[in-house]
């Protein structure tokens, strides 16, 4: 008798020909998602491109390096036309406003430093758009994110990108197991962004040399304060800049103009040592400044945990892992102690500076590229 053989899987992990595999590609109009769409179309998949319009066309057209509006919608549509697959634009302005922009504004006014790109992935792209992909009878949804999905003994796992300089795991830690079943990341294994651009040139894409998007898409030139003032007129109130003992050193025009760890633009002269923002007290409208040593943090409270480990989070009293507390920093050694199903305490073995409520804390396996999930940094229990 012939030996039983497992059916051969296509490159997206399905036991059927690419032509019978429908994949929705989330297209922002940039080079990464355009390459994903062109690559899959070239391999014979039944590709459907979808672009989300997240905010006003006119405002986006005036801003270089934006995404998901204006010229980027045009670029995504052009790639679809050139490669011969259908492309749809969905108006998600109201959803984006409610799920991302409003929380961004309120978090800043509360003295936090939010990361809206994470919320956009969590609440818009990997939630509503993913459901739309299912409504289109797609077998999966693919994106241009630099992260890897690998099959493990207990199902799909989330892993860092092969190119550490492009890795986007910090922004995707809240991806759930159910979402991971459905998502695909065809660029995560590539060695560099140059390799992506080479593919774009190979496929003849007009966006091959298009610059990467910069900053937060709805924040022109990184000027957070001006965006908050437009969203919440009159909410920024003046107050005092004080030292740790409460002595008034200067005045400010609103805590939204400051972030933890900030040194420049404090308007304090004649000091013997540099001062940094060490605390934002919204209730008293105070910006507290102090020496750099006061920025060092060892114990970090984290909540809203998304756990992707094989064992339950609370199955151990301690987890020896690596964590990343800012997108620009490499993972460092830490001890994670569960306090409940949704809260943990993270002890950093080497104190970090400039940690702020509202930022993410992402968990990594110390012995591999696997991501164990993460949560949100907050002030205390």
């Amino acid at each position: 008798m012939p030996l039983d053989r497992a059916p051969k899987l296509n490159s997206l992990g399905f036991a059927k020909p690419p032509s019978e595999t429908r994949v929705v590609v989330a297209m922002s109009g940039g080079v990464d998602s355009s390459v994903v769409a062109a690559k899959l179309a070239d391999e014979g998949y039944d590709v459907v491109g979808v672009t989300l319009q997240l905010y006003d066309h006119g405002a986006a057209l005036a801003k270089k390096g934006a995404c998901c509006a204006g010229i980027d919608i045009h670029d995504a549509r052009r790639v679809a036309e050139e490669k011969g697959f259908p492309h749809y634009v969905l108006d998600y302005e109201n959803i984006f406003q409610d799920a991302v922009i409003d929380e961004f504004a309120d978090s800043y006014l509360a003295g936090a430093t939010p990361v809206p790109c994470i919320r956009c992935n969590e609440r818009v792209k990997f939630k509503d758009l993913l459901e739309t992909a299912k409504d289109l009878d797609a077998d999966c949804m693919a994106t241009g994110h630099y992260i890897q999905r690998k099959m493990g003994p207990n199902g799909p796992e989330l892993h860092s990108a092969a190119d550490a300089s492009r890795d986007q795991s910090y922004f995707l830690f809240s991806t759930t197991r159910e979402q991971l079943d459905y998502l695909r990341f065809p660029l995560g294994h590539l060695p560099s962004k140059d390799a992506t651009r080479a593919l774009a040139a190979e496929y003849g894409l007009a966006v091959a040399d298009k610059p990467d998007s910069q900053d937060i898409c709805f924040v022109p030139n990184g000027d957070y304060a001006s965006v908050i003032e437009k969203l919440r007129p009159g909410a920024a109130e003046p107050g005092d800049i004080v030292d740790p003992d409460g002595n008034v050193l200067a005045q400010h025009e609103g805590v939204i103009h400051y972030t933890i760890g900030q040194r420049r633009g404090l308007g304090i002269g004649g000091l013997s040592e540099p001062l940094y923002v060490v605390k934002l007290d919204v209730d008293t409208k105070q910006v507290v400044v102090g020496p750099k040593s006061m920025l060092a943090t060892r114990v970090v409270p984290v909540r809203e945990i998304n756990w992707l480990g094989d064992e339950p989070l609370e199955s151990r009293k301690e987890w020896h892992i690596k964590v990343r507390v800012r997108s620009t920093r490499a993972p460092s050694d830490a001890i994670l102690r569960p306090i409940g199903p949704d809260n943990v305490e993270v002890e950093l073995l080497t104190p970090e500076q400039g940690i702020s409520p509202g930022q993410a804390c992402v968990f990594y396996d110390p012995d591999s590229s696997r991501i164990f999930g993460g949560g949100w940094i907050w002030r205390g229990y």
Side-chain angles (χ1 to χ4, degrees):
M1 294 179 62
L3 294 175
D4 289 336
R5 294 182 179 179
K8 185 177 180 180
L9 303 181
N10 62 33
S11 64
L12 293 178
F14 297 99
K16 54 185 175 179
S19 60
E20 297 176 14
T21 306
R22 174 168 292 178
V23 51
V24 163
V25 179
M27 300 182 69
S28 68
V31 63
D32 299 324
S33 57
S34 296
V35 165
V36 168
K39 179 178 186 294
L40 294 175
D42 190 65
E43 292 175 5
Y45 286 96
D46 178 10
V47 173
V48 178
V50 175
T51 300
L52 303 182
Q53 180 192 325
L54 298 181
Y55 49 91
D56 180 69
H57 278 257
L61 282 168
K63 184 197 171 197
K64 293 182 179 179
C67 71
C68 301
I71 192 66
D72 293 299
I73 292 176
H74 169 74
D75 286 343
R77 181 181 292 116
R78 182 166 57 169
V79 169
E81 289 174 351
E82 291 173 352
K83 294 302 173 184
F85 59 82
H87 174 257
Y88 302 97
V89 179
L90 305 181
D91 183 351
Y92 269 48
E93 285 191 32
N94 291 336
I95 294 173
F96 190 65
Q97 179 77 38
D98 295 342
V100 179
I101 295 180
D102 285 342
E103 183 187 71
F104 170 83
D106 294 338
S107 295
Y108 249 99
L109 289 173
T113 306
V115 191
C117 297
I118 298 175
R119 290 302 196 193
C120 182
N121 290 324
E122 174 188 334
R123 297 176 175 176
V124 180
K125 294 176 181 176
F126 290 177
K127 184 181 178 184
D128 291 285
L129 179 55
L130 191 145
E131 290 304 315
T132 297
K134 291 180 178 179
D135 290 340
L136 291 170
D137 294 324
D139 294 284
C140 63
M141 186 174 90
T143 79
H145 289 106
Y146 287 88
I147 197 165
Q148 297 188 82
R149 174 189 184 274
K150 297 182 178 181
M151 290 304 297
N154 296 298
E157 301 172 350
L158 203 61
H159 286 254
S160 300
D163 179 6
S165 68
R166 304 295 303 181
D167 176 58
Q168 292 177 292
S169 58
Y170 183 85
F171 301 100
L172 296 169
F173 80 85
S174 60
T175 305
T176 65
R177 293 179 186 278
E178 181 181 7
Q179 291 166 346
L180 196 55
D181 269 334
Y182 196 69
L183 289 165
R184 301 294 187 273
F185 308 106
L187 302 184
H189 69 287
L190 294 181
S192 68
K193 182 61 178 267
D194 289 342
T196 304
R197 293 196 182 277
L199 285 173
E202 178 183 328
Y203 295 130
L205 303 182
V207 296
D209 297 320
K210 186 175 181 178
D212 291 341
S213 59
Q214 302 293 327
D215 300 318
I216 297 169
C217 64
F218 59 89
V219 182
N221 305 315
D223 188 356
Y224 303 146
S226 65
V227 172
I228 304 303
E229 288 170 341
K230 289 179 181 178
L231 292 169
R232 301 289 187 270
E237 298 183 52
D240 296 326
I241 299 177
V242 302
D243 66 16
D245 296 322
N247 299 309
V248 178
L249 304 178
Q251 272 67 51
H252 66 77
E253 296 300 318
V255 296
I256 63 171
H257 296 277
Y258 302 88
T259 57
I260 301 296
Q262 180 178 333
R263 175 184 173 187
R264 299 182 183 278
L266 300 181
I268 306 171
L271 301 172
S272 59
E273 65 174 333
L275 293 181
Y276 299 78
V277 176
V278 298
K279 182 182 179 183
L280 298 173
D281 193 325
V282 177
D283 294 333
T284 62
K285 304 179 184 64
Q286 289 185 333
V287 174
V288 183
V289 296
K292 191 174 184 179
S293 59
M294 290 188 67
L295 288 172
T297 301
R298 180 177 289 276
V299 177
V300 183
V302 183
R303 63 181 177 181
E304 292 184 53
I305 304 300
N306 178 51
W307 180 249
L308 297 174
D310 293 333
E311 302 174 45
L313 175 63
E314 294 182 274
S315 65
R316 303 185 193 179
K317 292 183 178 180
E318 292 186 347
W319 293 82
H320 290 258
I321 60 173
K322 288 183 178 290
V323 301
R324 177 177 279 167
V325 292
R326 275 192 177 175
S327 62
T328 54
R329 295 183 182 175
S332 59
D333 292 327
I335 300 173
L336 183 155
R337 298 185 179 94
I339 296 177
D342 201 39
N343 291 344
V344 303
E345 178 183 87
V346 173
E347 180 184 349
L348 305 174
L349 300 193
T350 301
E352 295 259 10
Q353 295 180 331
I355 295 176
S356 173
Q359 295 176 333
C361 180
V362 183
F363 312 147
Y364 297 83
D365 181 354
D367 302 315
S368 75
S369 60
R370 187 176 178 185
I371 297 140
F372 283 157
W376 296 92
I377 299 169
W378 64 310
R379 288 185 175 82
Y381 303 111

